[in-house]
Each structure stands twice: as structure tokens, then as C-alpha cells.
Amino acid sequence: MKLQRCHPHRLFLKPILTFHTKPKHLYCTSAIRDSDDKDSQFIVTLKNIVRGKQSWIIAFNDPFISNKLKPHHVEKVLLLTLDDSRLALRFFNFLGLHKNFNHSTMSFCILIHALANANLFWPASSLLQTLLLRGGVDPREVFEALHDCFKKCDFISSLGFDLLIQSYLQEKRMFDSVLIYRLMRQCELMPRVRTLGEVLNGLVKIRRVDMVLVLFGEIVSMGIRPDIYIYVAVIRSFCELKNFAKAKEMIQRMESSECDLNVVVYNVLIHGLCKNKRVWEAVEIKNGLIQKGLTASEVTYCTLVLGLCKVQEFEVGSGVIDEMIELGFVPTEAALSSLVEGLRRKGKVVDAFGLVTRVQKVGVMPSLFVYNALINSVCKDGKYDEAELLFKEMGEKGLCANDVTYSILIDSFCRRGELDKAIQFLGKMIVAGIKITVYPYNSLINGHCKLGEFECSGVFF
DNA sequence: GTAGGGTTAG
């Protein structure tokens, strides 16, 4: 029977049979039988209160009940209420909230399994989080408690353990989630494929791609068919290791299996190639998508733009931006920033300006960085009117000029000898509460010196 | 539940 639990696709064989042959509330008879007679009577009283129409507040205000009530009684009542896990949860919360009752770890575990078995994942996870927050609980201890309860109560599915793995992942405790997976395996339990995918992607996030590949090998050797999320984690791992041959091999494996495919898989490879300056290979992958019945996404295009910037192919990058706009995609500010910066540095200020104008039409808002970079470039080219136009435009768009913006403008005024205007802008900075750096002062000193007004320049020391 | 930047502008 235990072996059946090992395979995720067979997890539900036992439950379905059990469910129809044995009512849930009878699962825990052995646990109840252990109680002594006095306790048994008390538990029956408690059970009747929980299921009855009487007010719980009144019933539990009775000193006979409240003085006698201990965590192990609650455990028994919960076990007798497994057929209605919502009611069990209400009772558990009632005692916690209204009676400040200190529940046992066992009670938590019973409810977590009960709720998970009833597909009530949100309250089950919430309880798990509370349990984990109870302070200094070792993941092994939590697993032991959950497993102890699982065995004793003969619960249907092992979803409670999946939720434990997910709780650790949410808290960014990836190694603890792997530990729970390992402990499950030791007990011949297997998490769902979805949970495994989440663990692998969690490990990718902390760059433990070595662990991803080890776990993937284990999963496959157990005969489990990986889903697209597992493959994405593995492809990302191979890209991270710069092993593009293996990444491509993995995609081919997906293509020849019945696994669902989407553009994300290819975007991961495209990103890996771009990051390693293999952008032309990435472009070919993108061009081959149509043959596979897929279409490039906004992410595909933006990834390519950033990759093209990395190899200084700014003109091609601009072309990609135009292509995506034609297809109705909106470039990200990141793609725009990289391109503008690249074009500008190559002296192609007009192209950068034109690009900003085009993307603005489809709703992309250039960042303060883009504006400052452009203002700086047009100033250097002596196009002061354009600089002031950009400055005005920033204000209209609600972008607040910062110390860099002002220092660029003040410097440009000083260079053309318009010192009055420079001082006027310095005043604006002070009024706006922008931090004053050394740059505007240097510009003003240089400006005065240039005009031969050496005495004036001393004012700024 | 999986994909896209960054040691930027004076």
C-alpha cells in the first residue's frame, strides 16, 4: 500500500477506494480508543458541543469544561470532526482566539492534513505558516509531527507535505523545502509534480543550479514525467552553466515528448544566449518559432534588444523595437534605456531622440535616466532649445528633475556665458529642495573665469 | 507555479 504513495499519478488510488468504503470520521478510531473512560466521556461532551446548536462561548465559559480542557482533548475532537474540516477549523480558531488556548503541534498537524485533504489549501497554508512562526521549529520536527499525524490518522493524500514545502519556498527557505522533499522520499512519499517544479525554480532563483540538475535526475529516474515548469528550471540551469548544447537538447526532448510547449521555454534559451553575447544564435531561435507553431512574445523582443545592446548593435536593436511596435507590443523602459544610452554614446543622438519619440507614441514613458542622458547629449551638441524642450516635457510628464538634470543645464548655461540663467536655475534647485552637489558650483566658477570675472568666482568658494 | 537591465546621467 505504501508503494502506491510513491508515484504521484497513483496517489489517489488508495483514497478513492478508502473514501467510498470507510467514512472519514471513522479513520481515527484507534486514536480515540487509547483514551481512558473519563476522557472518552469528556470528549463526547466536547464533540456534542462542537456539533450542537448551543453557543460555544457559553459552553466553554463553564468551568467544568474550561478548567478540564487540555490540548490532547482538542486533538481527539478534531479527529472526530474530520468529516467537516471547516467546522474543525472554526472550533480550533474559536479556542485560539476566544479562549487564548495553546494548541498542540499535533492539533495543528491534524487540521493541516484535514484541510489539505478537503482541498482547502489557503486555510491549511495559513495554519502551517502560524505553526512555523511559533518559533524555532526545526523543519525536521515539523515534518516528523506532520508525518506522525499522517500515519496515525490514515489521511488520504500527502498534500499537507506539499503545502509544507510551499511554505518554506514562500519564506525563501529553499534548502528547507529540499529537506522536506528528501524526508518525504525516505518515507516513500512523493510531492506533486507542481510542487517539484516550484522547488526547482526556487533553487534556480538562488543559483543552486547544481542542485536543480541533481533533483531533475532523481525525478526522471523515478519515472515521473516532468512538466514545463520543471523543464524551464532545468533549461535555465544549463544556460546558467553556459551549457547551451544541453539546454537545446532538453528543448528537443520536450519537443519530442507530450509535454506542453510555449514561448517561455525558448525565451529562457534566448536570454541565456544573449547574456553570453550569442545574440545572432538567439535571433535564429526567435525566427524559428513560427515553424514550431509559436510566436515571439514581448519578452522575446525585449530580451533580444538587450542582447543586441550588449554587442553594441544599437541600430539593429532599434529595428527590433520598431518591429515589435508594429506587432502591437510595447517595449519596456529597460529596453529603451539601454538603446538610448548606446546610441547616445556612439554619438547617434538624433537616432536616440527619434527612438524616444516613437516609443512615447505607444505609451512608453522614458525614465529620468533617459531624459538626463538625452539632455546632456543635446547640450553637448549645442542644441540648447531641444534641451529646454526636453526639460519642459519632463515636468509635463510628472518626472521630477534631479540634481543631475540641473547640473547638466546649469553647466550648459555657464558654457554659453548665461550666468544669470545658471544662477536662476540654482535658485530653482534650492526652492525645490534638491540636494546641491559640487557640480553646479564648479560650472559657475568656470563660467566666471571664462569671462575674466575672477573676483566673482571667489564667491563660490 | 516558468521568461526580459543595471558598477547607467553631471
Side-chain angles (χ1 to χ4, degrees):
Chain A
M1 189 58 82
K2 272 195 164 180
L3 277 177
Q4 287 188 351
R5 285 195 185 134
C6 270
H7 200 290
H9 303 296
R10 302 190 67 184
L11 266 178
F12 296 99
L13 279 181
K14 180 192 167 195
I16 292 164
L17 289 172
T18 321
F19 187 77
H20 289 296
T21 53
K22 191 165 79 171
K24 271 188 185 175
H25 64 277
L26 292 180
Y27 286 168
C28 312
T29 46
S30 58
I32 303 295
R33 243 184 271 126
D34 295 340
S35 312
D36 59 34
D37 285 348
K38 273 187 198 165
D39 258 4
S40 301
Q41 194 49 50
F42 184 55
I43 289 159
V44 170
T45 309
L46 291 171
K47 192 194 93 173
N48 290 338
I49 294 170
V50 170
R51 289 182 183 264
K53 289 189 177 163
Q54 187 189 356
S55 153
W56 287 357
I57 293 179
I58 293 169
F60 284 92
N61 273 343
D62 180 345
F64 170 75
I65 306 278
S66 56
N67 292 341
K68 202 178 170 191
L69 188 68
K70 294 285 172 294
H72 70 272
H73 296 128
V74 178
E75 292 167 15
K76 303 281 168 10
V77 175
L78 291 174
L79 290 169
L80 289 167
T81 320
L82 293 180
D83 59 312
D84 188 350
S85 47
R86 284 180 203 270
L87 179 65
L89 178 63
R90 263 206 305 133
F91 173 58
F92 180 92
N93 284 338
F94 167 80
L95 291 179
L97 295 170
H98 293 278
K99 311 304 285 178
N100 206 18
F101 192 82
N102 191 19
H103 286 297
S104 66
T105 301
M106 187 56 147
S107 283
F108 271 93
C109 292
I110 293 166
L111 254 188
I112 289 160
H113 280 305
L115 292 164
N117 277 242
N119 290 334
L120 296 169
F121 302 124
W122 191 85
S125 296
S126 167
L127 268 185
L128 256 173
Q129 269 161 15
T130 312
L131 181 63
L132 299 184
L133 284 172
R134 292 214 318 174
V137 193
D138 179 62
R140 283 178 191 275
E141 283 174 26
V142 179
F143 178 82
E144 286 298 326
L146 216 50
H147 189 243
D148 190 35
C149 169
F150 182 71
K151 276 191 304 189
K152 273 189 187 153
C153 306
D154 200 12
F155 274 105
I156 297 170
S157 81
S158 57
L159 278 169
F161 298 102
D162 285 66
L163 295 182
L164 179 60
I165 291 179
Q166 283 163 13
S167 292
Y168 284 128
L169 288 173
Q170 269 172 13
E171 287 183 31
K172 313 246 177 293
R173 292 167 65 175
M174 318 307 182
F175 298 132
D176 285 335
S177 76
V178 176
L179 174 65
I180 301 300
Y181 158 76
R182 295 249 175 261
L183 292 169
M184 282 180 79
R185 292 293 307 120
Q186 281 171 20
C187 300
E188 299 181 313
L189 293 165
M190 190 70 198
R192 289 176 303 165
V193 173
R194 181 189 169 124
T195 308
L196 291 172
E198 283 167 354
V199 172
L200 296 197
N201 280 292
L203 287 171
V204 171
K205 281 200 184 91
I206 57 164
R207 295 173 165 247
R208 287 308 303 264
V209 296
D210 53 332
M211 287 178 80
V212 172
L213 298 180
V214 169
L215 287 178
F216 178 71
E218 284 177 23
I219 292 165
V220 174
S221 69
M222 280 185 278
I224 293 166
R225 212 169 61 198
D227 69 357
I228 189 164
Y229 296 95
I230 290 181
Y231 275 119
V232 163
V234 173
I235 294 162
R236 273 184 80 179
S237 300
F238 280 128
C239 288
E240 195 73 33
L241 296 167
K242 303 186 203 308
N243 192 342
F244 297 106
K246 276 276 182 194
K248 285 177 183 173
E249 192 186 304
M250 208 48 69
I251 292 182
Q252 277 167 2
R253 190 164 156 176
M254 289 182 81
E255 286 169 342
S256 55
S257 75
E258 286 171 21
C259 185
D260 285 337
L261 264 170
N262 63 26
V263 73
V264 175
V265 174
Y266 297 91
N267 284 349
V268 170
L269 176 61
I270 288 171
H271 178 236
L273 290 167
C274 284
K275 223 173 137 187
N276 288 279
K277 300 189 174 183
R278 289 166 68 163
V279 67
W280 304 116
E281 240 177 286
V283 171
E284 283 194 12
I285 305 259
K286 176 242 162 197
N287 289 338
L289 285 174
I290 305 238
Q291 284 174 319
K292 298 177 197 292
L294 296 167
T295 47
S297 68
E298 182 191 302
V299 176
T300 321
Y301 283 104
C302 286
T303 309
L304 282 176
V305 169
L306 293 165
L308 287 161
C309 287
K310 217 176 175 71
V311 294
Q312 312 278 304
E313 291 283 355
F314 306 111
E315 287 85 355
V316 184
S318 297
V320 175
I321 291 270
D322 289 332
E323 187 182 328
M324 67 185 291
I325 289 174
E326 260 177 53
L327 291 166
F329 292 123
V330 177
T332 57
E333 205 283 319
L336 174 68
S337 273
S338 286
L339 267 179
V340 167
E341 183 57 10
L343 288 168
R344 197 184 71 82
R345 283 195 179 184
K346 275 201 164 181
K348 309 214 165 182
V349 185
V350 178
D351 289 351
F353 205 95
L355 182 69
V356 170
T357 313
R358 293 202 296 284
V359 297
Q360 272 184 324
K361 282 183 189 156
V362 293
V364 180
M365 167 102 156
S367 64
L368 182 60
F369 173 82
V370 167
Y371 270 109
N372 284 348
L374 271 185
I375 290 172
N376 185 34
S377 287
V378 292
C379 278
K380 276 190 181 145
D381 288 353
K383 294 173 179 171
Y384 304 117
D385 291 346
E386 279 186 26
E388 285 194 54
L389 213 69
L390 282 166
F391 181 72
K392 218 177 133 193
E393 198 178 287
M394 279 175 71
E396 284 165 1
K397 289 185 184 298
L399 271 178
C400 289
N402 64 2
D403 55 319
V404 179
T405 327
Y406 277 99
S407 67
I408 295 166
L409 288 170
I410 289 169
D411 190 59
S412 85
F413 288 131
C414 292
R415 282 175 196 275
R416 10 178 181 150
E418 294 183 25
L419 298 184
D420 291 351
K421 221 162 174 191
I423 290 169
Q424 190 192 327
F425 267 73
L426 189 66
K428 278 188 186 182
M429 276 181 92
I430 295 163
V431 170
I434 295 164
K435 67 168 176 185
I436 316 278
T437 59
V438 71
Y439 292 101
Y441 291 113
N442 279 345
S443 303
L444 281 162
I445 292 164
N446 282 336
H448 279 292
C449 289
K450 226 169 156 185
L451 295 173
E453 299 166 352
F454 301 107
E455 307 81 28
C456 288
S457 67
V459 173
F460 299 107
F461 285 109

